[in-house]
Amino acid sequence: MRRALPWVGATLVALLLAAAVLAPWIAPHDPALTDLASRLQGPSARHWLGTDHLGRDLLSRLLHGARASLGAVALILALVLAIGCAVGSIAGMAGGIVDAVLMRICDAFMTVPTLVLALFMIGALGTGLGNVVIAIALSHWAWYARLVRGLTLSLRSRDHIAAARLAGLSRLAIIRRHILPAVAGQLAVLASLDLGHWMLHLAGLSFLGLGVAPPAPEWGIMINDARPFFRTAPMLVLLPGAAILLTVLAFNLLGDALRDRLDPALREHAH
């Protein structure tokens, strides 16, 4: 079972990514096309998973919802890694007052719960998917900066870093050539474990009406739209909820597998 679970996670992630990329071609209908004459229908040959309260095809909306949700999570990942790596590597290499100031800023971000901080950011930036992505990224970058800074401090006294300095490489070149490749494994583990967390944040904020605006398909807003019909058509809530559940599960399984493979302490304990 321990060996099979990583493959299950990798397979689920691959299927989700394929659905997101191929959604415009494999979705049987336009996800925003309304047909009130076909509203709240059950599964049929025309609509494999049925229709919602506006007659829109559920399968098509789920597929395009994967595109919106996974695309937003990918943008969050890119922003978090960019900010965290930049702040952490600069603090670790510079030391002194620069390190102290940057770490106090990190501490300020880390003291506030991430969801509360994201809500505050959205209040300042405004609603919309782009602002939600920025808000989630700004509420999570500090942990990555701390990790990169700690690893940079442990690496900067190594012989090959000293040799690079003697060779005349700038701090930026040392960070790019020697520091970031060395910390990539730890960042991959942390990011893979956080992807599901970000997915839940994104779906929750969209559920509250702060993210994707209707009629765009997104799993969180699909659940919000279906709330009045939960008793009469529970699949309208259960299907996007199951999509979120499977996505979070897939990312967590993949993250656990990466942690087991890339963390030397865990490998030694397993043996």
Side-chain angles (χ1 to χ4, degrees):
M1 178 65 71
R2 187 175 181 84
R3 293 180 179 180
L5 287 178
W7 290 105
V8 172
T11 301
L12 286 174
V13 169
L15 290 174
L16 288 165
L17 290 176
V21 172
L22 300 176
W25 295 277
I26 64 177
H29 299 278
D30 182 348
L33 180 63
T34 60
D35 181 9
L36 295 180
S38 302
R39 65 191 300 268
L40 298 177
Q41 287 188 355
S44 64
R46 184 181 179 189
H47 302 286
W48 290 4
L49 297 179
T51 60
D52 66 4
H53 62 292
L54 294 177
R56 297 173 295 193
D57 183 70
L58 273 178
L59 177 58
S60 301
R61 290 183 65 77
L62 285 173
L63 291 172
H64 282 269
R67 190 178 183 89
S69 298
L70 294 178
V73 169
L75 289 175
I76 294 169
L77 174 62
L79 286 174
V80 167
L81 289 178
I83 300 172
C85 288
V87 173
S89 56
I90 290 172
M93 289 296 294
I97 187 65
V98 174
D99 180 28
V101 170
L102 292 177
M103 288 304 100
R104 297 298 76 75
I105 295 174
C106 285
D107 291 341
F109 276 85
M110 294 172 71
T111 55
V112 183
T114 54
L115 184 57
V116 174
L117 185 56
L119 288 171
F120 171 78
M121 296 288 182
I122 293 171
L125 298 172
T127 59
L129 181 60
N131 290 336
V132 166
V133 167
I134 294 172
I136 296 175
L138 290 179
S139 62
H140 288 83
W141 67 270
W143 282 264
Y144 290 76
R146 274 284 186 184
L147 174 63
V148 174
R149 182 251 187 185
L151 294 173
T152 302
L153 288 175
S154 67
L155 289 170
R156 71 177 186 178
S157 58
R158 300 280 180 89
D159 292 339
H160 66 285
I161 302 295
R165 286 175 174 171
L166 292 174
L169 287 182
S170 65
R171 287 182 175 177
L172 181 60
I174 292 174
I175 291 172
R176 181 169 51 86
R177 295 185 186 181
H178 299 287
I179 301 297
L180 293 182
V183 304
Q186 297 287 342
L187 288 176
V189 173
L190 181 58
S192 62
L193 293 172
D194 274 346
L195 288 173
H197 177 66
W198 297 337
M199 175 66 72
L200 290 175
H201 269 20
L202 180 66
L205 292 171
S206 294
F207 176 82
L208 295 174
L210 302 175
V212 178
E218 197 274 334
W219 294 335
I221 204 166
M222 287 175 67
I223 296 175
N224 187 34
D225 288 344
R227 282 187 304 121
F229 309 96
F230 179 68
R231 293 189 177 183
T232 56
M235 296 304 291
L236 297 183
V237 173
L238 296 178
L239 286 174
I244 295 171
L245 173 65
L246 285 175
T247 304
V248 174
L249 175 64
F251 285 141
N252 285 344
L253 290 175
L254 192 60
D256 287 341
L258 285 174
R259 183 188 59 191
D260 293 344
R261 180 171 292 274
L262 297 177
D263 192 323
L266 287 176
R267 281 204 307 268
E268 291 175 5
H269 180 71
H271 293 306

